[in-house]
Amino acid sequence: MSPTVEGQRLDSAAGWAVALSAALATFAVFAVSYSFGVVLDSIRIEFGIGTGLAALLFAIPTFVFFVLGVLTGQLGDRYGPRRVLLAGAAALGAGLWATSLAQELWLAITTYSLGVGIAVACAYVPMVSAVSGWFERHRAAALGVAVAGIGLGQFVGAPTAQWLIARYGWRDTYQVLAVAATGLLLMALFAARRPPLEAPQSEMPSVRRLLHNRRFTLLYLSMMLLSSSLFVPIIFIKDYLEDLGKPGGEWLIGIIGLASLLGRLALGALGTVLPLMRLYQISFTVMGFSYLIWLFAGDNYTLLVIYSLVMGSSYGGFIALSPAVAAELFGLAGLGGVLGALYTAAGIGGLAGPPLAGLLIDDVGYRFTIVVAMAVALSSVPLLVAAGRARAVPLATVGAGEAAARATTPAQRGPVTVQSFRAAPAQAALGPESIDSVLLQSFGGPEGPDDVMPFLQNVTRGRDVPAERLAQVSQQYLRHGGVSPINEQNRSLLAALSSELARRGTPLACYWGNRNWHPFLRDTVGQMAGDGRRHAAVILTSAFSSYSGCRQYHEDLARAADEVPGAPRLSRVRVYGNHPGFAGALAERIREALDGARLPSDVRTLFTAHSVPNRMAASCDYEAQLSDAAEAVAGMAGLTGDIEVVYQSRSGPPHVPWLEPDVSDRLAQLGSTGCRTALVVPLGFVSDHMEVLADLDTKARATAARAGITMVRARSVGTHPLFVEALVDLVEETAGLRADRPAVGRLGPRPDSCAPGCCPLERGA
């Protein structure tokens, strides 16, 4: 398949088709579920029961569909939404038809609860999870469209059910709804597709891990309290109005649905430009205070319409923003399972709230019940605020949330220019070597879809990489809008270096140049010459030395110095893979992962690095450096289990041997030997760029899940303060201000200058 096929792109027309199919599916199931308030009186009369007991017919399926979301979310992640939706269609048709024939209350509750509960669980969580995987920049808006079917279903379902009951009775009405809703679900199947970037197949977080995650716990409790109150008007407002001798309650239910539809669309769109958590908190607050309007409305239909509009729009925001907030807080890894776990809170609230409200209505009337519902709703707000302030620890993986956030951050657009920070006066210099600037030299990455293939051709020129491999790699970039996360990561690192230099009282000018894409190194060196720079300390975004990880960068530096008139002297800081700052930062990332995932220190640990051809590895000590650094980092992190170095991201022709084992192959082997948990540490990478996201967070994680392994990934060092401080220490070292040359491990500090024959390119490698 061509890498530019529209159907395989994120934020594409194909993604919007999936969002519309999700809207159709949610319309079908919620038109049935939220029409219950219209059927309530018929059920009460048919079986001779009170309001509280009748409300169970709504509360139990609500609990069922939210709790089953744990299972259907994982099934959707693993098998795709289409199969799960088909099961939901079968359950809905059979359940409603059986309910229409039930002569006993227990049988009606059982068939309705299972039929509607299973159908909603199959149509909701897997579909919104799939939509999340189809979008990055427009995720909140797309989810607003996907869940708009809930409000539209409520708006259409309640008046339609009222019309059908008036003519045919509630039993025939459920038969009509069984046929119609099942047909709509089958129609939704046609566009229900897996996302091009499949959600990583991680296991469901354990209960212990969930309970120890403060952010999740607070979010869970706030959702449970809000859900306890939000179903009260949906079920009882028609009955409330009829108690006052007024008709039209079914239209109030419909207006709540219509307002929630508008709220979903509006707040979903606002979620693309405003902070999601702030919008989410506003929705909770407005929903709580809206009960004041109902409290003082009495039988004033206009005020009740206003209440329905306010309550419905804020309720729509709650529904639309919940999955987007979950994706933002906890990442896309296994999002279906995470959403399913979170939605059990709504299931508990939905199970408890309506029956308790019904009992209160029977005992003390509506006024006191409305006050209680308002108090419960408002009590959710402080918990939600606290959740937003709690320390972020991803659930299914440590680091995935940040990686996803970085991958979805739009890169700066427009003409590509050379990046520089804090351009100090040309005469400013540091130390006896007169260092007057810092140059960050990196690999580079595309800034948009049109850049992808030219960038990959630059990277692989002369290396005989098969065309199908280029197409495969290009897909990885296109799924992220053609934008490499390495660009924003380099900007962040450059800014951190500039800030640390300024903090130390040496605000040197900082520049950024790439090997393979804009800003190209030659252009950056040209700007440095124009700025009057004379001597720069060069930092490579490669922590270990090999031909591709070090010598090629040296060759580019030499070429730029030769081609640019008046080029500054370019002095590379020494290789820092065993510097205490790099090793210490990575050790702290490991401890973050262990703490966040509640893993013991004896967990099986795989340190990953970029694979290189065997002949290239034989001409340098790349493998020895990695092995030595892995042992040192493991010791600093307190790891006591088995560790090993594995490799990833090979790109050469199949007949050329590269360093092994591949990380995915090793995970599959470990799974076959009974290993059930593995920690993966990106040792050979300084940031969570595309190769980390694609080869670890997607490919390796899916392999681990198939092998029965829970894979937890530590973050790369990124802009960890210890790493940034270490790089500035190396700049000072290069400037002649430091005599000490700290290193960890057995190999000692690397030399400032490479030997003439170091890391040669072995032809045929």
Side-chain angles (χ1 to χ4, degrees), residues 240 368 409 726:
Y240 163 84
F368 183 74
T409 301

Side-chain angles (χ1 to χ4, degrees), residues 120-139:
V120 177
C122 291
Y124 185 37
V125 176
M127 289 301 294
V128 299
S129 180
V131 172
S132 295
W134 273 97
F135 290 88
E136 287 186 333
R137 281 180 289 176
H138 302 295
R139 181 176 293 135

Side-chain angles (χ1 to χ4, degrees), residues 358-377:
L359 292 174
L360 283 174
I361 291 167
D362 286 340
D363 189 35
V364 295
Y366 271 99
R367 190 170 184 82
F368 183 74
T369 304
I370 294 169
V371 171
V372 172
M374 179 175 65
V376 172

Side-chain angles (χ1 to χ4, degrees), residues 3-4 443-461 470 474 477-478 482 515-518 520:
T4 58
F443 190 80
E447 295 273 20
D450 294 338
D451 298 343
V452 173
M453 286 307 295
F455 161 74
L456 292 176
Q457 289 163 357
N458 282 346
V459 172
T460 60
R461 185 169 287 113
L470 285 185
S474 71
Y477 287 99
L478 291 171
R515 293 194 60 246
N516 297 295
W517 202 248
H518 304 282
F520 284 111

